[in-house]
Amino acid sequence: MNSELVRSCFAKQFDGATGKLFASPGRINLIGEHTDYNGGFVFPGAIDKGMIAEIQPNGTDKVRAFSIDLNDFAEFGLNEEDAPKASWARYIFGVCREMIKRGVDVKGFNTAFAGDVPLGAGMSSSAALESTYAFALNKLFGEDKIDKFELAKVGQSTEHNYCGVNCGIMDQFASVFGKKDQLIRLDCRSLEYQYFPFHPQGYRLVLVDSVVKHELASSAYNKRRQSCETTVAAIQKKHPHVEFLRDCNMQMLEEVKDIVSAEDYMRSEYVIEEIQRVLDVCDALEIDDYETVGQKMYETHHGMSKLYEVSCEELDFLNDIAKECGVTGSRVMGGGFGGCTINLVKNELYDSFIAKAKEAFTTKFGREPKVYDVVISDGSRELV
Ligand code: GLA
């Protein structure tokens, strides 16, 4: 991430002024997709790519924001009716509003920001942006009184209330709580979490980006969530204690097979199995059993492709190539509908896998996939 660039653009935009710098990362997720809003487990880690923002209070009641990457400027007030039109600016506006709702006396500020986490690639660029501003506004206007979980929830509520995505808590949680070389298993119902040191001896984690953008996926995402909630409502009739799919097993799902639609059944089957897979992967990691980790990743891909139906031709193709090359584990990562596969590859297979993936993908789709090595890094912070 390039703080010099942000410094120089901020100075240019705001008459040579200097503010404070804040940064938050994107994330990977080893396993546990679409489980967060079902009260299940996720297993993410923050990465070395994210957003950096420079911010300086400006003594007015207006926010003046410059997106360096989009070369676009927006000015907006802090009241509910002041929402800006540009979607990138709505993230910042939403964070301001959510902080205000939590009692922080947010005032006007000047800001410029830039990032190196690719947009729409399933690495949570929007969560990185939200966490950066939530963390910064808490320091600048909130006397640091909002705790880290609430900062993650500020980002999540921004998505719900200002961006139209009914997401879970995983992305914002990982961005705020990330720690170098550690994955974090989060129980999304109790919000208990545990750091797991992650240095797979003899393996590398690599993302292969299909460069299919998932920007238009929010309505499909919300629809998946709706399916899960419909199934829960049906199961609750017989099992009133059930709150989430997390509380259900396959037998309970079987009981409502004739009541829910075939589609809702499939979606729920995937989620129930996926929640268990996270626990299996954590157990396998504890005994360095990477073969099992990899096998579970392939099972997740299969479920996301055939049951949850959030993969696409390009991602299925990359998954097949991984299998052919003997890659230990591979699957579509994040919400789906585009973006990356995450791959657990033996060191000695890395070069041949990447060469083959690039060549075969380019032959089939006429463009090269992008490749990102995963470096697990720290979460939200002030840069000094
Ligand atoms: C998106 C959402 C997350 C999570 C994942 C799928 O990244 O923002 O809350 O649901 O999809 O695991």
Side-chain angles (χ1 to χ4, degrees), residues 23-24 48 53 76 110 177 211 216 228 276 281 298 305 354 357 373 378:
S24 291
D48 61 335
F76 50 86
N110 296 341
F177 283 80
V211 206
L216 299 173
C228 299
Q276 183 57 42
V281 160
Y298 279 114
S305 177
I354 295 300
D373 286 307
D378 285 328

Side-chain angles (χ1 to χ4, degrees), residues 63-324:
V63 175
R64 300 191 183 106
F66 182 61
S67 163
I68 297 168
D69 300 323
L70 301 174
N71 191 25
D72 195 17
F73 181 83
E75 178 170 323
F76 50 86
L78 290 163
N79 298 313
E80 200 59 34
E81 62 275 15
D82 295 329
K85 291 223 163 53
S87 57
W88 65 266
R90 290 182 76 89
Y91 290 108
I92 303 174
F93 173 77
V95 170
C96 293
R97 289 298 311 158
E98 292 297 333
M99 293 298 277
I100 291 169
K101 288 178 201 169
R102 287 162 177 79
V104 175
D105 190 16
V106 178
K107 298 271 196 281
F109 56 88
N110 296 341
T111 182
F113 71 95
D116 58 1
V117 50
L119 305 181
M123 287 181 238
S124 300
S125 51
S126 55
L129 187 60
E130 291 148 6
S131 305
T132 300
Y133 282 93
F135 188 86
L137 298 184
N138 193 31
K139 294 266 180 214
L140 295 172
F141 301 108
E143 294 157 4
D144 224 2
K145 67 179 177 219
I146 308 275
D147 71 36
K148 280 166 81 179
F149 255 116
E150 205 55 37
L151 292 180
K153 288 184 187 163
V154 162
Q156 184 192 23
S157 307
T158 297
E159 296 278 354
H160 290 192
N161 299 330
Y162 300 94
C163 309
V165 183
N166 290 329
C167 64
I169 191 71
M170 169 168 73
D171 305 349
Q172 293 80 7
F173 168 82
S175 184
V176 173
F177 283 80
K179 251 195 200 153
K180 190 172 177 336
D181 295 333
Q182 318 256 340
L183 296 180
I184 327 169
R185 186 180 72 193
L186 172 68
D187 178 332
C188 299
R189 187 174 56 187
S190 68
L191 297 184
E192 282 165 357
Y193 60 96
Q194 192 185 339
Y195 288 98
F196 280 70
F198 187 71
H199 331 262
Q201 283 289 320
Y203 294 82
R204 285 166 78 168
L205 266 188
V206 59
L207 305 182
V208 182
D209 185 355
S210 65
V211 206
V212 176
K213 298 281 176 213
H214 68 187
E215 278 147 9
L216 299 173
S218 49
S219 62
Y221 181 94
N222 293 347
K223 206 167 159 231
R224 296 301 181 284
R225 184 169 184 159
Q226 191 58 55
S227 276
C228 299
E229 289 169 1
T230 305
T231 306
V232 167
I235 293 177
Q236 268 169 347
K237 295 208 174 105
K238 191 158 169 210
H239 303 277
H241 73 279
V242 162
E243 202 185 336
F244 296 107
L245 280 180
R246 156 80 178 278
D247 310 314
C248 303
N249 54 35
M250 282 306 291
Q251 194 193 326
M252 290 154 117
L253 180 60
E254 226 33 64
E255 289 166 6
V256 296
K257 191 164 190 173
D258 299 331
I259 302 169
V260 299
S261 70
E263 190 175 283
D264 291 350
Y265 178 92
M266 265 172 19
R267 307 291 190 243
S268 308
E269 179 183 356
Y270 161 76
V271 170
I272 291 171
E273 290 170 353
E274 179 72 354
I275 291 171
Q276 183 57 42
R277 277 192 285 268
V278 183
L279 299 177
D280 294 345
V281 160
C282 291
D283 289 346
L285 271 185
E286 254 156 3
I287 51 169
D288 289 333
D289 174 5
Y290 297 107
E291 289 305 315
T292 299
V293 173
Q295 187 198 325
K296 296 287 162 193
M297 291 169 75
Y298 279 114
E299 287 173 19
T300 295
H301 186 86
H302 185 265
M304 286 179 83
S305 177
K306 304 289 182 263
L307 299 175
Y308 221 61
E309 296 184 302
V310 293
S311 185
C312 60
E313 197 193 346
E314 290 85 347
L315 290 165
D316 286 346
F317 185 80
L318 287 172
N319 188 259
D320 287 342
I321 301 275
K323 221 175 274 166
E324 274 166 35

Side-chain angles (χ1 to χ4, degrees), residues 27 29 32-37 124 167-171 221 334-335:
R27 60 108 189 88
N29 185 26
E33 284 325 341
H34 293 274
T35 49
D36 54 358
Y37 53 83
S124 300
C167 64
I169 191 71
M170 169 168 73
D171 305 349
Y221 181 94

